[in-house]
């Protein structure tokens, strides 16, 4: 991630990052999966933002201009196949946060 290392450190220190990742995993569970990619963007200042984009859409200007990178992303899941939503969200949120920690630890 290069110069985003310090941004990732700041993001991990903020409770908003975990909230955004958790929200992403709640939002990706739907009855009609397949049309969208859900993700959390990381900005240079360490801020994060949940974003959903339709597959095949033109990329966001913030990413095109180098102001943000996709820190975490997921496809959609069928709501009928997710038996325990709370456990699903908790497990994937923990995993995503660990992946971000591993990025800064090398």
């Amino acid at each position: 991630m290069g110069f985003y290392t310090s941004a990732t450190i700041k993001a991990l220190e903020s409770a908003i990052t975990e909230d955004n990742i958790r929200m992403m995993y709640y939002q990706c569970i739907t009855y009609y999966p397949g049309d969208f990619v859900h993700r959390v963007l990381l900005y240079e200042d360490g801020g994060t933002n949940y974003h959903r984009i339709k597959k095949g859409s033109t990329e966001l200007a913030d990413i095109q201009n180098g102001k943000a990178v996709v820190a975490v992303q997921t496809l959609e899941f069928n709501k009928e196949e997710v038996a325990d939503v709370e456990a699903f969200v908790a497990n994937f949120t923990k995993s995503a946060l660990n992946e971000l920690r591993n990025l800064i630890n090398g």
Side-chain angles (χ1 to χ4, degrees):
M1 288 182 92
F3 63 94
Y4 280 96
T5 301
S6 64
T8 304
I9 292 168
K10 289 178 188 174
L12 287 169
E13 292 172 349
S14 171
I16 294 170
T17 300
E18 185 172 346
D19 291 344
N20 282 328
I21 293 171
R22 185 178 294 111
M23 180 173 56
M24 177 188 76
Y25 283 112
Y26 275 114
Q27 295 296 320
C28 77
I29 302 170
T30 179
Y31 283 110
Y32 303 102
D35 292 337
F36 292 93
V37 176
H38 299 257
R39 58 207 189 163
V40 173
L41 304 180
L42 172 66
Y43 291 85
E44 292 180 67
D45 65 358
T48 58
N49 188 33
Y50 164 73
H51 176 71
R52 180 180 82 151
I53 190 168
K54 191 166 181 85
K55 287 181 185 175
S57 295
T58 303
E59 192 53 84
L60 290 175
D62 283 350
I63 293 175
Q64 289 178 347
N65 297 333
K67 295 180 182 177
V69 295
V70 177
V72 182
Q73 77 175 12
T74 187
L75 298 174
E76 295 179 319
F77 294 87
N78 189 327
K79 196 172 212 166
E80 296 173 350
E81 295 176 4
V82 178
D84 185 348
V85 172
E86 295 300 322
F88 173 93
V89 170
N91 184 43
F92 279 97
T93 300
K94 181 179 177 181
S95 177
L97 290 168
N98 284 336
E99 284 182 39
L100 289 175
R101 285 184 193 100
N102 289 340
L103 283 174
I104 59 175
N105 293 329

